[in-house]
mmCIF file of all heavy atoms in Angstrom:
data_model
loop_
_atom_site.group_PDB
_atom_site.id
_atom_site.type_symbol
_atom_site.label_atom_id
_atom_site.label_comp_id
_atom_site.label_asym_id
_atom_site.label_seq_id
_atom_site.Cartn_x
_atom_site.Cartn_y
_atom_site.Cartn_z
ATOM 1 N N GLY W 48 26.658 -18.445 12.324
ATOM 2 C CA GLY W 48 26.074 -19.623 12.981
ATOM 3 C C GLY W 48 25.257 -19.254 14.226
ATOM 4 O O GLY W 48 25.049 -20.133 15.054
ATOM 5 N N ASP W 51 19.660 -17.506 15.752
ATOM 6 C CA ASP W 51 18.669 -17.329 16.820
ATOM 7 C C ASP W 51 19.028 -16.317 17.865
ATOM 8 O O ASP W 51 18.350 -16.176 18.896
ATOM 9 C CB ASP W 51 18.430 -18.715 17.519
ATOM 10 C CG ASP W 51 17.836 -19.721 16.529
ATOM 11 O OD1 ASP W 51 17.168 -19.353 15.591
ATOM 12 O OD2 ASP W 51 18.109 -20.953 16.707
ATOM 13 N N MET W 58 11.255 -9.776 15.072
ATOM 14 C CA MET W 58 11.808 -9.348 13.791
ATOM 15 C C MET W 58 10.749 -9.383 12.683
ATOM 16 O O MET W 58 10.639 -8.406 11.888
ATOM 17 C CB MET W 58 13.009 -10.222 13.391
ATOM 18 C CG MET W 58 13.713 -9.784 12.140
ATOM 19 S SD MET W 58 15.080 -10.874 11.731
ATOM 20 C CE MET W 58 16.181 -10.627 13.126
ATOM 21 N N TRP W 66 5.375 -2.444 5.983
ATOM 22 C CA TRP W 66 4.586 -2.629 4.752
ATOM 23 C C TRP W 66 3.827 -1.340 4.404
ATOM 24 O O TRP W 66 3.148 -0.763 5.218
ATOM 25 C CB TRP W 66 3.605 -3.784 4.982
ATOM 26 C CG TRP W 66 2.547 -3.957 3.939
ATOM 27 C CD1 TRP W 66 1.234 -3.632 4.052
ATOM 28 C CD2 TRP W 66 2.699 -4.497 2.630
ATOM 29 N NE1 TRP W 66 0.525 -3.970 2.923
ATOM 30 C CE2 TRP W 66 1.429 -4.513 2.043
ATOM 31 C CE3 TRP W 66 3.775 -5.025 1.923
ATOM 32 C CZ2 TRP W 66 1.207 -4.986 0.759
ATOM 33 C CZ3 TRP W 66 3.550 -5.506 0.641
ATOM 34 C CH2 TRP W 66 2.289 -5.479 0.047
ATOM 35 N N ALA W 98 9.306 -17.237 6.757
ATOM 36 C CA ALA W 98 8.041 -16.563 7.017
ATOM 37 C C ALA W 98 7.512 -15.907 5.761
ATOM 38 O O ALA W 98 6.785 -14.898 5.827
ATOM 39 C CB ALA W 98 8.232 -15.523 8.120
ATOM 40 N N ILE W 111 7.091 -4.197 -7.723
ATOM 41 C CA ILE W 111 8.417 -4.330 -8.320
ATOM 42 C C ILE W 111 8.354 -4.071 -9.831
ATOM 43 O O ILE W 111 9.147 -3.287 -10.374
ATOM 44 C CB ILE W 111 9.038 -5.716 -8.021
ATOM 45 C CG1 ILE W 111 9.259 -5.859 -6.501
ATOM 46 C CG2 ILE W 111 10.328 -5.894 -8.800
ATOM 47 C CD1 ILE W 111 9.634 -7.289 -6.104
ATOM 48 N N LYS W 146 9.048 -15.473 -9.251
ATOM 49 C CA LYS W 146 8.255 -14.749 -10.262
ATOM 50 C C LYS W 146 9.145 -14.129 -11.329
ATOM 51 O O LYS W 146 8.735 -13.193 -12.031
ATOM 52 C CB LYS W 146 7.419 -13.689 -9.582
ATOM 53 C CG LYS W 146 6.443 -14.202 -8.525
ATOM 54 C CD LYS W 146 5.366 -15.074 -9.165
ATOM 55 C CE LYS W 146 4.347 -15.527 -8.084
ATOM 56 N NZ LYS W 146 3.278 -16.344 -8.659
ATOM 57 N N TYR W 158 19.859 -3.449 -20.875
ATOM 58 C CA TYR W 158 20.282 -2.254 -20.150
ATOM 59 C C TYR W 158 21.605 -2.500 -19.434
ATOM 60 O O TYR W 158 22.503 -1.644 -19.480
ATOM 61 C CB TYR W 158 19.245 -1.853 -19.113
ATOM 62 C CG TYR W 158 19.604 -0.489 -18.515
ATOM 63 C CD1 TYR W 158 19.316 0.684 -19.113
ATOM 64 C CD2 TYR W 158 20.348 -0.458 -17.314
ATOM 65 C CE1 TYR W 158 19.699 1.917 -18.588
ATOM 66 C CE2 TYR W 158 20.734 0.749 -16.748
ATOM 67 C CZ TYR W 158 20.425 1.928 -17.417
ATOM 68 O OH TYR W 158 20.854 3.154 -16.865
ATOM 69 N N GLY W 167 35.781 -3.387 -18.595
ATOM 70 C CA GLY W 167 35.075 -4.636 -18.248
ATOM 71 C C GLY W 167 34.075 -4.438 -17.152
ATOM 72 O O GLY W 167 33.231 -5.330 -16.897
ATOM 73 N N ALA W 175 28.237 5.790 -16.801
ATOM 74 C CA ALA W 175 28.856 6.041 -15.508
ATOM 75 C C ALA W 175 30.097 5.155 -15.344
ATOM 76 O O ALA W 175 30.189 4.068 -15.927
ATOM 77 C CB ALA W 175 27.858 5.747 -14.370
ATOM 78 N N ALA W 180 30.836 -1.946 -6.424
ATOM 79 C CA ALA W 180 29.476 -2.276 -5.966
ATOM 80 C C ALA W 180 28.544 -2.396 -7.163
ATOM 81 O O ALA W 180 27.649 -3.274 -7.150
ATOM 82 C CB ALA W 180 29.012 -1.219 -4.981
ATOM 83 N N ARG W 220 37.164 1.600 -6.577
ATOM 84 C CA ARG W 220 37.568 2.054 -7.880
ATOM 85 C C ARG W 220 39.011 2.610 -7.741
ATOM 86 O O ARG W 220 39.467 2.852 -6.639
ATOM 87 C CB ARG W 220 36.615 3.134 -8.408
ATOM 88 C CG ARG W 220 36.254 4.221 -7.481
ATOM 89 C CD ARG W 220 34.970 4.935 -7.904
ATOM 90 N NE ARG W 220 34.481 5.813 -6.840
ATOM 91 C CZ ARG W 220 34.398 7.135 -6.920
ATOM 92 N NH1 ARG W 220 34.760 7.745 -8.029
ATOM 93 N NH2 ARG W 220 33.929 7.840 -5.942
ATOM 94 N N ASP W 249 45.112 -14.190 1.954
ATOM 95 C CA ASP W 249 45.689 -14.053 3.323
ATOM 96 C C ASP W 249 45.776 -12.597 3.729
ATOM 97 O O ASP W 249 45.482 -12.223 4.872
ATOM 98 C CB ASP W 249 47.061 -14.683 3.344
ATOM 99 C CG ASP W 249 47.049 -16.217 3.177
ATOM 100 O OD1 ASP W 249 46.012 -16.818 3.540
ATOM 101 O OD2 ASP W 249 48.030 -16.805 2.674
ATOM 102 N N LYS W 250 46.241 -11.739 2.826
ATOM 103 C CA LYS W 250 46.349 -10.322 3.156
ATOM 104 C C LYS W 250 44.972 -9.660 3.352
ATOM 105 O O LYS W 250 44.789 -8.828 4.234
ATOM 106 C CB LYS W 250 47.133 -9.580 2.055
ATOM 107 C CG LYS W 250 48.618 -9.935 2.025
ATOM 108 C CD LYS W 250 49.319 -9.175 0.919
ATOM 109 C CE LYS W 250 49.431 -7.693 1.231
ATOM 110 N NZ LYS W 250 50.272 -6.994 0.215
ATOM 111 N N HIS W 278 29.263 -2.713 7.729
ATOM 112 C CA HIS W 278 30.620 -3.260 7.546
ATOM 113 C C HIS W 278 30.823 -4.573 8.295
ATOM 114 O O HIS W 278 31.652 -5.401 7.884
ATOM 115 C CB HIS W 278 31.682 -2.227 7.917
ATOM 116 C CG HIS W 278 31.741 -1.071 6.958
ATOM 117 N ND1 HIS W 278 31.004 0.088 7.117
ATOM 118 C CD2 HIS W 278 32.441 -0.941 5.813
ATOM 119 C CE1 HIS W 278 31.240 0.894 6.115
ATOM 120 N NE2 HIS W 278 32.082 0.294 5.271
ATOM 121 N N GLY W 282 32.155 -7.558 6.115
ATOM 122 C CA GLY W 282 33.442 -8.172 6.504
ATOM 123 C C GLY W 282 33.315 -9.624 6.733
ATOM 124 O O GLY W 282 34.128 -10.414 6.225
ATOM 125 N N LYS W 292 37.390 -20.593 8.175
ATOM 126 C CA LYS W 292 36.858 -21.754 8.952
ATOM 127 C C LYS W 292 35.904 -21.324 10.026
ATOM 128 O O LYS W 292 36.101 -20.345 10.723
ATOM 129 C CB LYS W 292 38.010 -22.532 9.566
ATOM 130 C CG LYS W 292 38.897 -23.244 8.515
ATOM 131 C CD LYS W 292 40.019 -24.014 9.172
ATOM 132 C CE LYS W 292 40.882 -24.710 8.084
ATOM 133 N NZ LYS W 292 42.026 -25.445 8.697
ATOM 134 N N LEU W 294 32.693 -20.426 9.534
ATOM 135 C CA LEU W 294 31.606 -19.595 9.006
ATOM 136 C C LEU W 294 30.738 -20.423 8.084
ATOM 137 O O LEU W 294 31.206 -21.348 7.373
ATOM 138 C CB LEU W 294 32.138 -18.370 8.287
ATOM 139 C CG LEU W 294 32.866 -17.364 9.138
ATOM 140 C CD1 LEU W 294 33.331 -16.168 8.270
ATOM 141 C CD2 LEU W 294 31.994 -16.847 10.297
ATOM 142 N N MET W 303 23.116 -14.268 0.996
ATOM 143 C CA MET W 303 22.341 -15.011 1.996
ATOM 144 C C MET W 303 23.005 -16.381 2.184
ATOM 145 O O MET W 303 23.783 -16.777 1.297
ATOM 146 C CB MET W 303 20.896 -15.169 1.521
ATOM 147 C CG MET W 303 20.141 -13.887 1.416
ATOM 148 S SD MET W 303 18.537 -14.066 0.520
ATOM 149 C CE MET W 303 17.661 -15.195 1.568
ATOM 150 N N LEU W 320 35.245 -21.159 -3.306
ATOM 151 C CA LEU W 320 36.374 -21.486 -2.429
ATOM 152 C C LEU W 320 37.618 -21.946 -3.184
ATOM 153 O O LEU W 320 37.992 -23.095 -3.129
ATOM 154 C CB LEU W 320 35.900 -22.518 -1.367
ATOM 155 C CG LEU W 320 34.627 -22.191 -0.640
ATOM 156 C CD1 LEU W 320 34.314 -23.279 0.368
ATOM 157 C CD2 LEU W 320 34.773 -20.868 0.056
#
Side-chain angles (χ1 to χ4, degrees):
D51 297 331
M58 184 180 296
W66 168 255
I111 295 169
K146 301 295 183 180
Y158 187 84
R220 49 200 168 116
D249 293 333
K250 290 181 69 174
H278 289 91
K292 292 180 180 178
L294 293 181
M303 295 167 63
L320 308 182

